[in-house]
Amino acid sequence: MSSFDVVIIGSGPGGYVSAIRCAQLGFKTAIIEKYSTLGGTCLNVGCIPSKALLASSHHYSEIAHFADHGIELSGEVKVNLEKMIARKQAVVDQTSGGVKFLMDKNNITVLEGLGSFVDETHVAVAKGDGTSETIEAKNIIIATGSKPSSLPFIKIDKERIITSTEALKLKEVPKHLVIIGGGVIGIELGQVYLRLGAQVSVVEYLDRIIPGMDASLSKELTKVLKKQGMKFYVSHKVQSVDRNGDAVVVQAENAKGETITLEGDYALVSVGRRPYTDGLNADKAGVKVTERGMVEVNDHLQTNIPNIYAIGDVVRGAMLAHKAEEEGVMVAEILAGQKPHIDYNLIPGVVYTWPEVAAVGQTEEQLKANGVAYKAGSFPFKALGRARAGGDTDGFVKILADAKTDEVLGVHMIGARCADLIAEAVTAMEFKASAEDISRMSHAHPTFAEAIKEAALAATDNRALHV
């Protein structure tokens, strides 16, 4: 029987990064993955493929504005969806192959098969050829991730009533894509197909899209996407989703109790994700799992069984790849006797639409609910020279700071390059920066990052310079 210091079940961003850190720290490490490719949901059917399609569709949509830049095209510009999907898959394959390279480089044993507990120190690996292998581990890390959620009355057929997984490999551009759920995944995939020519309707139970983010971001993104042609039905409760041949009929009830009917050729069910522990047999190791399949852990990500840990989407907190990575590193370092720490308040969130949306820290709604006295400063992208030069003038940066100490409590932005710009805010907040600290740092001109400096100036005695 093979024996290891650490065995990790699941090779998503949390699992494979944890494996690398464990190996760096000198642990004999193995990672178990039930699929034939490494990288989990993120690399195979999540973050990476969706960004590939967002990039391709963004290039296509930009062509409409070439004339504004003095670029004249002759001939018809067409979408080759098959080629676009093939490019997406090539990006996925290259990225997954990169993870395999990292496993080999760090001498990590990769076992393909379904990992399940035999007891608290043994894991069985059921392989695709019907054979099984049992390995021994001093420590085990559960990193089995999540799967798309649905609603009890919806029958997902993976043909016309689909999840995000199927939406990444459609063979045609929908005529009318009805999206159930206005969260990050639904909005991102909705914009992909909106750009390619689909009519897109979003049905959201709550009163706004991207409801977990600051309300000002939701309002601005809704305005921009409406301008692009997306339709929204917020405060609508879906009652039924039925397929009739190639048509899908969605009925929903609005706040007044009235029923609306939307008919499309595809319905994307995007109502969140659920922790995935199917087949793990956690009970055989005595690990406590909630009714929703979430593994219970303490502040050190340790389960009720001392040598078993869990990270990523399978534990409490935001279901984000970078959060899982931080947790994977944290557990590895704890096993090595170090004392790492994660400030979950400073895990940024990003929506990769265009304009991009990004945020870190507390929202205005949270500060108000907690009775925290704060001040706010905003700066619009349309006042930036770089934004005007590039034609990306939608959006703003908003900084929230403590009314007494001036410490930055939250940064919320929507606009071009915000997915990258948010890193400046995370860095500043990690070092307990004040709004004045940011306002006194030199920012290169002309750049989109200047909006952060100007928002900080606005939060510091309302003294933004360029608005």
Side-chain angles (χ1 to χ4, degrees):
M1 182 184 297
S2 299
S3 181
F4 298 89
D5 296 318
V6 183
V7 168
I8 299 159
I9 307 174
S11 74
Y16 85 75
V17 167
S18 186
I20 293 170
R21 187 64 183 127
C22 284
Q24 288 176 341
L25 291 166
F27 294 115
K28 184 182 178 183
T29 306
I31 192 165
I32 302 170
E33 173 54 56
K34 73 177 206 173
Y35 294 111
S36 59
T37 57
L38 301 176
T41 293
C42 179
L43 270 64
N44 291 282
V45 290
C47 319
I48 300 303
S50 63
K51 273 33 155 203
L53 290 181
L54 280 163
S56 296
S57 63
H58 182 67
H59 288 315
Y60 177 69
S61 67
E62 290 236 287
I63 293 173
H65 304 289
F66 278 8
D68 297 339
H69 292 268
I71 303 171
E72 297 181 359
L73 298 175
S74 59
E76 186 180 359
V77 178
K78 296 181 179 179
V79 172
N80 185 330
L81 185 62
E82 183 180 1
K83 190 170 183 178
M84 192 179 289
I85 297 292
R87 176 191 174 274
K88 177 267 299 181
Q89 191 58 46
V91 171
V92 168
D93 294 343
Q94 183 180 16
T95 308
S96 179
V99 175
K100 179 62 169 66
F101 166 79
L102 291 172
M103 298 298 100
D104 294 340
K105 176 187 174 183
N106 289 279
N107 297 314
I108 296 163
T109 299
V110 177
L111 299 169
E112 183 182 329
L114 176 64
S116 62
F117 283 99
V118 175
D119 55 39
E120 59 191 52
T121 57
H122 294 85
V123 179
V125 183
K127 302 179 181 181
D129 61 6
T131 63
S132 181
E133 176 184 1
T134 298
I135 59 176
E136 185 176 38
K138 294 178 183 177
N139 299 285
I140 299 169
I141 302 173
I142 302 169
T144 47
S146 62
K147 293 286 185 183
S149 296
S150 185
L151 298 173
F153 53 85
I154 297 178
K155 183 181 179 181
I156 295 173
D157 60 21
K158 298 186 179 183
E159 295 176 351
R160 294 286 171 175
I161 304 174
I162 60 176
T163 70
S164 58
T165 300
E166 294 76 46
L168 293 167
K169 53 185 179 182
L170 292 182
K171 297 186 183 301
E172 63 180 353
V173 176
K175 298 180 182 66
H176 183 194
L177 176 62
V178 181
I179 300 174
I180 300 168
V184 176
I185 298 171
I187 295 298
E188 287 182 355
L189 290 172
Q191 192 179 48
V192 167
Y193 288 107
L194 180 72
R195 290 166 173 165
L196 300 182
Q199 177 185 342
V200 177
S201 300
V202 178
V203 183
E204 169 56 46
Y205 176 72
L206 298 177
D207 61 356
R208 58 188 177 92
I209 62 170
I210 54 170
M213 303 187 89
D214 192 275
S216 63
L217 299 180
S218 173
K219 182 179 179 181
E220 181 73 5
L221 183 60
T222 299
K223 183 181 76 174
V224 173
L225 292 178
K226 278 185 176 180
K227 189 167 59 176
Q228 294 176 7
M230 195 174 289
K231 296 181 179 180
F232 296 96
Y233 299 86
V234 296
S235 298
H236 279 68
K237 181 180 180 180
V238 173
Q239 295 176 309
S240 63
V241 180
D242 298 304
R243 179 178 174 179
N244 182 16
D246 289 343
V248 180
V249 178
V250 177
Q251 290 193 320
E253 183 180 273
N254 65 21
K256 297 178 182 179
E258 302 165 335
T259 298
I260 67 158
T261 300
L262 297 172
E263 183 173 322
D265 49 344
Y266 290 90
L268 168 58
V269 181
S270 182
V271 292
R273 299 182 64 85
R274 63 175 180 85
Y276 184 72
T277 50
D278 299 8
L280 185 62
N281 292 336
D283 57 314
K284 289 189 176 181
V287 173
K288 291 183 179 178
V289 178
T290 69
E291 291 182 358
R292 293 187 60 248
M294 184 177 292
V295 179
E296 296 183 6
V297 292
N298 61 19
D299 291 342
H300 295 123
L301 300 168
Q302 185 180 41
T303 70
N304 58 301
I305 306 301
N307 68 307
I308 301 177
Y309 295 76
I311 62 173
D313 290 3
V314 82
V315 301
R316 62 177 182 265
M319 290 186 174
L320 299 170
H322 46 286
K323 176 253 196 187
E325 290 184 5
E326 296 299 326
E327 290 179 334
V329 171
M330 178 176 170
V331 170
E333 294 178 350
I334 286 173
L335 293 176
Q338 299 180 17
K339 298 186 182 299
H341 171 71
I342 298 173
D343 185 345
Y344 285 96
N345 182 54
L346 298 185
I347 301 290
V350 178
V351 187
Y352 293 89
T353 49
W354 197 265
E356 294 174 332
V357 184
V360 65
Q362 301 291 293
T363 66
E364 283 203 65
E365 293 75 33
Q366 289 171 327
L367 293 175
K368 289 175 181 176
N370 294 328
V372 177
Y374 69 94
K375 51 187 179 177
S378 295
F379 189 80
F381 271 59
K382 64 184 178 183
L384 283 180
R386 179 64 187 276
R388 288 195 297 273
D392 290 305
T393 55
D394 289 320
F396 60 84
V397 173
K398 179 170 71 174
I399 291 181
L400 308 174
D402 188 280
K404 294 180 180 178
T405 68
D406 197 38
E407 180 183 342
V408 177
L409 303 176
V411 180
H412 308 276
M413 55 180 74
I414 175 171
R417 316 288 172 80
C418 283
D420 299 300
L421 292 177
I422 197 63
E424 177 180 339
V426 176
T427 302
M429 292 177 68
E430 282 282 5
F431 285 92
K432 304 291 184 183
S434 66
E436 184 175 359
D437 287 333
I438 296 175
S439 74
R440 293 191 178 276
M441 294 191 301
S442 178
H443 286 64
H445 174 77
T447 60
F448 290 103
E450 287 177 282
I452 299 175
K453 177 185 176 80
E454 292 278 0
L457 283 166
T460 306
D461 302 323
N462 195 29
R463 53 188 182 92
L465 298 170
H466 288 90
V467 68

